[in-house]
Amino acid sequence: MTNFSQNFEADTGKILNIVINSLYSDRDIFLRELLSNASDAIQKRNFIGQTNKSILNNDVDQIEIRVNSKKKTLEIQDTGVGLDEADLVATLGTIAKSGTSSFLKEMQETSDAKSAAQTLIGKFGVGFYSAFMVAEKVEVVTKKAGTSEVWAWVSDGQTGYNIDKSSEDIPVGTVVRMFLKKDAKEYLDEAKIRSLIQKYSDHISIPINIENKDGETEQVNSTEALWTRSPKDISTEEYNKFFNTQFSTYDDPFITLHNKSEGTVEFTNLLFVPSKAPFDLFDAERKSKLNLYINRVFITNDLDGILPSWLRFINGVLDTTSLDLNVSREMVQDSPVIKKISKVLIKRILSELNKKLNKDPEGYDKFWAQFGKVLKEGLYEDFENRDKIAGIIRVFSLKHDKLITLKDYSTELALGQDQIFYLTSETLSQARKSPHLEGFKAKGVDVLLMTDPIDAFWMSQMGKFGDKSFISISRDSYDLSGVGEVEDKEPEVPEKDSSHILERIKNALTDKVEDVKISSNLKESPVRLVAGQAGLDYNLERILKAQNPTFESSKKILEVNIDHPLIQKMIDLDITLSDNLSRVLFEQARIADGEMPSDPYKFSQDLFEMALKLQSEQLD
Ligand code: ADP
Ligand code: MG
């Protein structure tokens, strides 16, 4: 009788500990590893069976899970290819035999044991060893297809392992029997096992059965991975149901993207653009939600790096055979495979959104209302994709009173116009009434009304769309003469005392404004406030203040409509009254930009004084 006993090398137990504990932060996944091994073994048997029929299983392929609360064991039995003595030594003995000392040496040379374990882990098949996270002893009882002997491999994962012939009578396949640790009794709970299977292994194509309390076996997984089927055989209803059940959604997706990619990197994606924003869309974490599967085995749903955060509204599944199941998440995250897949996915999503924009603009605008703000984040933080994103964003046109594209705007420029004018504001209704727009309205020049806080940032950062610069009409300097369909009036000869008027206003507002200038943009309003040297307008300041309460506002430039009757009147007023009026004009310009008066008490006092003065003049 053969009895093969092998001690682990001195430090193997230690290595196993490090490997197991650093690779897997969550010990639940031992079940995923063992089920995927069982599924692999069954597929391997079927594969070999193609050329050697005697190997094939005449019964149904299945994986069976058994819990024994008395013996405190958890068993996973498969109808796979099985192992003989030599296979057991070569596979389950690997970590004990090969390269143990070099592994340890390399690990000691790296200060960060964790990252060392992760880089070196590819050399060792450790998926199986994750069983030792929950078991103090593991028995593998197995019969290889085409043979009749049953072998048993036993180990405590610390000292070594033992291989012996077994007297157990099992069909071809493998039983992995775990004697659970004292602190791992939770895995004796059938409900716990079920929920883990549903979470991690639901899409394994082999039926996974579990014995319930009444001794009946029940299939736990659904065995069918929707995304592995051909898109032409899948109905919209099936897609929608999958979207709802997998991602706890209630809406129908706006876009369903199901593709298979073959070549150097092989993967299948089934992605959904929801039609309704989830409640956590603006969580600070900005995590994308994509379920990553490796060969149908669920790996994680919170891996950074597959989709950028500006696409975090996408739900879906990515399944690839181009990654190893037992590499760490950090390795997956930084792998060139994921980078390649990410590129392809972003391209697919953007091109599909572009198609929708052209074919179904109404539907697109509903999507835009839900997710436009998120997509715009990409304009600010993703230089590589910025131009493509800019092609599919929606912006509000003053002239058309609806959403248009940047391309629409650039192809409909007014005579002599070569810039893209925009106004940032908190709301559309506030923007529409803004005095900043007066000159543009009079000349029929379109202005984009931008109401998302991020607009101020991406537009100034991006600077241009195509060859047209973005110009903030409350912040940047620009010249409207020569622009627009309406002929410019002969420049009016400034009234002889206009400089005197400016002087008066300036004196009244020395501590409040940076400068006072004649405006060429105002038509109805007497004054407006534009960004001073600091280059900030009130809207931008409000955004910055919301992020940083200690943010200090800077002085603005007061532009004066010198033709305005109120301004022209100023010269006739006594100095007290013209000071009152200057301050009131300044404060109301702030209000028009959505600010509080800088000095509300003085503001109301000025108003009263002016009213009283008016009254007494009328009584005279
Ligand atoms: P991997 O699955 O990545 O190869 P594992 O540590 O999970 O690494 O498994 C190591 C090897 O042990 C497998 O490649 C396989 O040859 C063998 N093995 C593990 N479980 C089974 C099983 N249930 N049936 C047959 N062979 C198995
Ligand atoms: Mg494995």
Side-chain angles (χ1 to χ4, degrees), residues 33-34 37-38 40-41 44 78 81-83 91-92 125-129 174 176 326:
E33 295 291 341
L34 297 185
N37 283 352
D40 286 352
K44 196 165 166 190
D78 64 63
V81 68
L83 301 158
T91 57
L92 302 188
V126 290
F128 168 78
Y129 287 91
T174 303
V176 177
N326 56 18

Side-chain angles (χ1 to χ4, degrees), residues 125-405:
V126 290
F128 168 78
Y129 287 91
S130 65
F132 290 104
M133 290 192 288
V134 298
E136 55 191 19
K137 184 169 87 171
V138 178
E139 239 172 57
V140 177
V141 181
T142 177
K143 188 202 274 183
K144 184 171 178 163
T147 70
S148 54
E149 287 168 333
V150 179
W151 291 92
W153 177 99
V154 188
S155 174
D156 61 359
Q158 304 275 339
T159 52
Y161 62 89
N162 193 73
I163 297 174
D164 208 344
K165 266 202 177 159
S166 171
S167 55
E168 280 188 54
D169 183 20
I170 60 162
V172 168
T174 303
V175 180
V176 177
R177 184 175 298 137
M178 284 155 278
F179 296 80
L180 295 174
K181 289 181 180 172
K182 283 204 174 57
D183 66 354
K185 298 280 157 56
E186 67 210 85
Y187 301 106
L188 293 172
D189 178 9
E190 182 204 326
K192 165 96 183 176
I193 300 290
R194 276 172 185 273
S195 78
L196 290 182
I197 292 172
Q198 270 148 13
K199 181 171 176 196
Y200 290 113
S201 309
D202 198 37
H203 300 286
I204 283 189
S205 59
I206 316 283
I208 301 171
N209 299 321
I210 188 163
E211 208 171 278
N212 68 16
K213 290 178 220 81
D214 310 323
E216 297 152 345
T217 52
E218 269 177 51
Q219 186 173 326
V220 186
N221 60 332
S222 64
T223 70
E224 182 188 61
L226 185 72
W227 63 88
T228 59
R229 288 166 48 191
S230 164
K232 66 179 193 317
D233 300 333
I234 304 174
S235 68
T236 309
E237 287 68 39
E238 283 178 285
Y239 277 130
N240 293 1
K241 184 174 168 264
F242 181 83
F243 172 61
N244 292 152
T245 53
Q246 286 288 300
F247 304 104
S248 314
T249 52
Y250 298 93
D251 52 327
D252 287 344
F254 173 54
I255 290 174
T256 301
L257 264 183
H258 187 186
N259 318 79
K260 200 173 215 124
S261 292
E262 270 149 11
T264 46
V265 175
E266 299 197 346
F267 67 93
T268 300
N269 63 262
L270 174 52
L271 306 180
F272 300 97
V273 176
S275 42
K276 293 230 159 51
F279 68 95
D280 60 351
L281 188 61
F282 290 98
D283 270 10
E285 283 206 312
R286 303 197 306 149
K287 284 223 171 201
S288 79
K289 299 182 204 100
L290 205 60
N291 293 349
L292 174 68
Y293 288 77
I294 295 181
N295 211 2
R296 286 198 223 172
V297 176
F298 176 73
I299 305 298
T300 175
N301 66 354
D302 68 345
L303 193 70
D304 292 336
I306 303 182
L307 285 181
S309 54
W310 54 270
L311 284 176
R312 64 182 174 277
F313 52 85
I314 303 259
N315 288 121
V317 169
L318 171 68
D319 191 352
T320 177
T321 49
S322 299
L323 283 170
D324 266 346
L325 186 59
N326 56 18
V327 300
S328 73
R329 65 182 286 114
E330 284 82 358
M331 261 177 92
V332 170
Q333 201 147 298
D334 298 334
S335 80
V337 171
I338 288 294
K339 295 215 165 77
K340 183 104 189 275
I341 294 175
S342 164
K343 265 202 174 141
V344 177
L345 292 185
I346 293 172
K347 208 170 141 198
R348 272 185 195 154
I349 294 164
L350 289 179
S351 118
E352 193 62 27
L353 285 172
N354 192 33
K355 255 191 234 161
K356 280 277 188 189
L357 169 62
N358 294 319
K359 273 203 242 151
D360 173 20
E362 254 175 51
Y364 191 86
D365 280 350
K366 282 189 196 136
F367 153 80
W368 184 255
Q370 298 287 317
F371 302 111
K373 279 193 181 77
V374 179
L375 212 56
K376 279 182 190 174
E377 291 171 15
L379 292 167
Y380 186 65
E381 60 192 20
D382 191 332
F383 297 113
E384 213 180 308
N385 294 296
R386 190 161 77 174
D387 292 341
K388 273 202 188 134
I389 303 170
I392 58 165
I393 70 159
R394 300 293 271 168
V395 285
F396 194 89
S397 154
L398 169 71
K399 198 164 157 184
H400 299 284
D401 200 35
K402 62 168 192 175
L403 291 170
I404 61 169
T405 63

